[in-house]
Amino acid sequence: MVPSDRDELTTAVGRLHEELRALPEESDPARARVLTRWIGIGRMCLGHHEEARAFLRQSLDLAAAIGNTRAVVATGLNLGDAHRYAGDAQTADALYRSALNTARSRHPELVDFALQHTGKHLMERGDLVDAQAHFQEALRLRIAKGDAGLIESTQAALDRATLLIGQADASAAGSAVPRRWSGPATY
């Protein structure tokens, strides 16, 4: 994620911080959850991964505490992204899989989003076949939803995974071809 206007995003995140600090101690945790999530996403976009992870973890904990499983899925994906961007693939993997499992069992309307995020993670790890399978399933779900923007995004990711698989296959086939040895024979 790269902000189109870094200064504007910095200002917006600052306003969210101010609102969060101004919340009374006994206020509704749902508002704190929303604020911490958006602060975390903003900090992630600005490249401040440690702060992003702290705010997103707080938001995820609040979502779980108030029983908002929809927010648990969405924030779990965001927290997975923050770990992925920071280079922590193992934690990202666990978060993506947890979000996908929760979406499958509790919020089928979010499965395509969880598949898309997990697929990107798998593709970056080099697990291209699994990434492709995730994108294919996400594409089927998004076609059923009829959202052109989501379909386009998933099709682009699927095309990229397919291209990378083709390149890997071509590279493997090329290295399997015996090379001529022109040096002295050693028997």
Side-chain angles (χ1 to χ4, degrees):
M1 293 183 173
V2 178
S4 57
D5 186 332
R6 191 171 180 80
D7 291 337
E8 184 179 329
L9 180 58
T10 300
T11 300
V13 170
R15 284 192 300 266
L16 293 172
H17 267 288
E18 289 171 18
E19 184 178 344
L20 181 63
R21 280 191 295 272
L23 283 180
E25 191 73 28
E26 63 283 343
S27 69
D28 179 16
R31 184 64 187 154
R33 180 200 63 77
V34 169
L35 291 170
T36 52
R37 179 174 181 227
W38 286 110
I39 292 168
I41 291 169
R43 299 306 289 164
M44 178 173 50
C45 291
L46 292 167
H48 303 285
H49 299 117
E50 189 172 328
E51 289 178 38
R53 288 190 308 259
F55 279 103
L56 289 166
R57 171 52 64 190
Q58 183 180 355
S59 182
L60 183 60
D61 292 345
L62 286 167
I66 61 177
N68 185 339
T69 55
R70 223 173 174 281
V72 166
V73 171
T75 308
L77 294 172
N78 299 140
L79 184 56
D81 289 343
H83 280 276
R84 178 170 53 112
Y85 295 153
D88 182 0
Q90 185 175 0
T91 303
D93 190 69
L95 287 161
Y96 290 133
R97 291 185 191 282
S98 176
L100 180 56
N101 290 338
T102 302
R104 285 191 193 283
S105 66
R106 305 278 308 271
H107 296 284
E109 74 279 6
L110 299 178
V111 170
D112 60 311
F113 290 100
L115 287 164
Q116 182 87 359
H117 282 260
T118 306
K120 287 180 183 178
H121 165 68
L122 292 169
M123 189 164 54
E124 285 181 11
R125 275 191 5 201
D127 191 348
L128 302 174
V129 173
D130 275 350
Q132 183 183 47
H134 280 72
F135 293 140
Q136 287 169 334
E137 185 180 350
L139 183 61
R140 283 192 300 275
L141 294 170
R142 288 179 167 187
I143 288 171
K145 282 183 174 181
D147 186 317
L150 294 177
I151 293 167
E152 182 180 335
S153 168
T154 303
Q155 186 63 61
L158 179 57
D159 291 347
R160 179 74 177 147
T162 302
L163 173 70
L164 292 172
I165 289 170
Q167 290 174 345
D169 289 348
S171 177
S175 64
V177 174
R179 301 188 189 275
R180 294 195 181 267
W181 172 249
S182 59
T186 55
Y187 298 101

